[in-house]
Amino acid sequence: MKNIHLLPTDKPSRLSYVICTEKITLTLFEDEMEKGKRFFPRNIYITSDEEIKEGNWCIDNRNVLNKIINVSTNGYVMFKNGNSIKNTNSKKIILTTDDRLIKDGVQPIEDYFLEWFVKNPSCEYVEIKKGSYNLSPMEEMLEKEYVPKGTFDTYKIIIPQEELK
C-alpha cells in the first residue's frame, strides 16, 4: 500500500520535478529553482496507518493536508480549518520534507533517503521502523523551540536493498 506522497509546493524545496527531463531531481541550492520555470518544487510526505491523534498532521485520499485539532469517540476528526469528517480515508504523516510541518513537530526526512529516492522516483512504499526518544532536561534546554519536549516517536526509513526500475 502506498505510503509515499510527492506533492507540489509553492515554497522552496531541495526536491523538484524537472519538466524538460521528466525526472525528479534533488537540488543542492534552493535558489537554483528560481533561475527558470522548469523546476517545480515538491515535498515528500511519508504516512503511517497509526491512529491519528489530536495535534497530528494527516493527508486524505485527495492529497489534502490537514492538522487534527480534535478526535471524537465516534471516529470523526476536526481539522484546523474547522471541517469535520469521518476518519476513514486519512493517513498520519510521520516524515516529511515540508518545513512547515517539521516546525510543527513532524520528523524530517533524512538526506540519505532523498538521495536514494531521486534514483528511484517510482517508489511508492518504504518500510518504516518506529522507536521512541526521550529528551534529557539538558537536551530540552539546548534544542530549538520547535522540537517537541518529553518523549516522542522517531521513525527510520528502511531503504530496499535493490534499486527499483
Side-chain angles (χ1 to χ4, degrees):
M1 177 180 281
K2 179 177 178 171
N3 72 345
I4 298 176
H5 306 269
L6 185 65
L7 302 179
T9 180
D10 58 355
K11 307 284 189 242
S13 176
R14 292 180 300 135
L15 194 66
S16 60
Y17 185 70
V18 183
I19 295 297
C20 65
T21 62
E22 295 184 3
K23 285 179 135 180
I24 305 280
T25 184
L26 186 64
T27 62
L28 300 176
F29 307 102
E30 291 179 359
D31 62 348
E32 187 176 329
M33 288 183 286
E34 296 173 10
K35 291 180 181 174
K37 293 189 177 184
R38 60 188 197 143
F39 289 95
F40 293 89
R42 298 288 192 259
N43 278 319
I44 297 178
Y45 303 89
I46 298 180
T47 59
S48 165
D49 289 331
E50 293 177 30
E51 178 184 359
I52 297 173
K53 298 177 183 171
E54 187 176 313
N56 291 158
W57 279 90
C58 66
I59 189 168
D60 67 19
N61 60 346
R62 298 169 296 145
N63 287 329
V64 175
L65 305 177
N66 286 295
K67 183 170 183 177
I68 305 299
I69 61 166
N70 191 340
V71 180
S72 69
T73 55
N74 61 0
Y76 280 82
V77 293
M78 180 173 284
F79 301 123
K80 189 175 181 179
N81 65 10
N83 292 339
S84 180
I85 63 166
K86 184 85 169 160
N87 184 28
T88 55
N89 295 319
S90 295
K91 300 284 184 186
K92 178 180 175 179
I93 298 170
I94 58 172
L95 294 153
T96 188
T97 57
D98 187 329
D99 285 336
R100 179 179 54 129
L101 274 64
I102 292 168
K103 289 178 182 173
D104 200 27
V106 177
Q107 183 177 327
I109 294 174
E110 299 287 339
D111 287 345
Y112 75 88
F113 175 75
L114 295 177
E115 291 166 4
W116 178 87
F117 187 73
V118 166
K119 297 173 187 168
N120 299 277
S122 64
C123 181
E124 293 186 339
Y125 178 84
V126 287
E127 181 183 351
I128 303 293
K129 295 285 185 192
K130 181 179 176 180
S132 63
Y133 183 74
N134 188 21
L135 290 177
S136 70
M138 181 58 78
E139 286 174 311
E140 286 184 9
M141 287 178 12
L142 297 174
E143 290 293 335
K144 296 178 182 174
E145 63 186 55
Y146 62 82
V147 174
K149 304 298 183 211
T151 302
F152 55 96
D153 294 331
T154 59
Y155 302 91
K156 179 169 176 54
I157 301 170
I158 308 302
I159 294 177
Q161 295 299 317
E162 288 186 29
E163 291 197 1
L164 303 173
K165 298 189 182 188

